[in-house]
């Protein structure tokens, strides 16, 4: 009988504690708040507790192109930021562009290709040139040194996780196309651009579109030989 009485007292104490907690606390698990992460509007589910907003760590890291891992044996949370580049003026994300180079021994390695920033709009708009103009003219103005590549090799274009544009368009023009108003659009095979077999200098533009107000243009040149 004594055990039953003690158990009843404990249950009553728990009920009173929960009731008191509910009376003194305000907890909302369904609040959806607006965040601006790297210039882009995001909606994340948060917890509103007594006027303080708590955000799930994984939700934020995924939006910031970072990986998160919890190791139970170490009781440690690891957050690893991916390699993310941003245009210093518009704060727009910059793609990683690399030449897939294959050596005679069969080893494959990626040679990063430097980019010129074209016109971009993100948190702000920026145009480093007086007019849109052909990419070849921008290459000349910047005195950009083309990267030497082999015929029919691949250029790999990637964006950080969570920042891939909704639409990606690539155009290419050779020296023989100089004077033409528009460069020729070329198809992508996934994230790969197949270069032509014909030797020559090619100027390439990458147009990325996230929405109507957020878009970028990146430019580079290669010497196929």
């Amino acid at each position: 009988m004594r055990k039953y009485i003690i158990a009843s007292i404990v249950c009553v104490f728990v009920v009173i504690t929960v009731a008191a907690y509910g009376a003194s606390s305000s907890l909302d698990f369904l609040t959806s708040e607006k965040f601006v992460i790297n210039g882009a509007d995001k909606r994340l589910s948060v917890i509103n507790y007594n006027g303080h907003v708590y955000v799930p760590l994984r939700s934020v890291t995924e939006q910031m192109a970072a990986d998160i891992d919890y190791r139970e044996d170490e009781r440690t949370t690891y957050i690893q930021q991916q390699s993310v580049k941003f245009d210093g003026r518009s704060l727009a994300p910059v793609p990683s562009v690399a030449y897939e180079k294959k050596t005679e021994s069969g080893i494959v390695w990626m040679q990063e290709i430097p980019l010129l920033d074209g016109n971009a709009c993100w948190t702000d708009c920026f145009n480093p040139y007086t007019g849109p103009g052909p990419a070849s003219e921008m290459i000349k103005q910047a005195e950009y040194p083309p990267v030497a590549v082999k015929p029919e090799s691949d250029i790999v274009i990637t964006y950080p996780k969570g920042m891939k544009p909704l639409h990606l368009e690539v155009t290419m023009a050779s020296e023989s196309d100089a004077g033409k108003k528009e460069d020729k659009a070329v198809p992508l095979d996934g994230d790969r651009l197949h270069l032509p077999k014909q030797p020559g200098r090619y100027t390439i533009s990458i147009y990325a579109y996230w929405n109507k107000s957020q878009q970028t243009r990146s430019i580079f040149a290669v010497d196929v030989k």
Side-chain angles (χ1 to χ4, degrees), residues 13-147:
F13 177 75
V14 171
V15 172
I16 293 174
T17 303
V18 172
Y21 173 83
S24 61
S25 304
S26 175
L27 187 62
D28 182 5
F29 290 94
L30 302 177
T31 303
S32 179
E33 295 289 343
K34 179 181 178 180
F35 293 79
V36 178
I37 300 177
N38 294 325
D41 292 341
K42 303 292 182 180
R43 288 274 178 186
L44 301 179
S45 295
V46 302
I47 298 173
N48 190 338
Y49 173 62
N50 281 352
H52 296 280
V53 176
Y54 296 86
V55 184
L57 188 58
R58 180 176 296 277
S59 298
V60 176
T61 54
E62 287 177 352
Q63 295 297 336
M64 297 183 69
D67 290 327
I68 181 172
D69 179 42
Y70 176 70
R71 300 181 185 176
E72 188 173 357
D73 57 334
E74 301 177 11
R75 298 184 65 83
T76 303
T77 299
Y78 290 86
I79 300 175
Q80 181 64 48
Q81 181 76 25
Q82 302 295 323
S83 178
V84 183
K85 297 179 181 179
F86 296 96
D87 180 273
R89 294 154 294 259
S90 64
L91 299 182
V94 177
S96 172
V97 177
Y99 163 43
E100 188 178 64
K101 189 173 183 180
K102 299 180 181 179
T103 63
E104 294 181 357
S105 60
I107 298 175
V108 178
W109 58 281
M110 308 303 288
Q111 176 184 344
E112 185 176 2
I113 298 178
L115 301 175
L116 287 180
D117 296 329
N119 51 301
C121 280
W122 198 260
T123 56
D124 195 6
C125 289
F126 177 76
N127 189 349
Y129 304 96
T130 54
S136 58
E137 289 300 320
M138 300 181 189
I139 291 289
K140 290 180 181 179
Q141 289 183 39
E143 299 181 351
Y144 177 95
V147 177

Side-chain angles (χ1 to χ4, degrees), residues 183-194:
D183 297 340
K184 181 181 178 181
V186 292
L188 290 175
D189 182 8
D191 59 1
R192 295 172 181 269
L193 167 66
H194 302 303

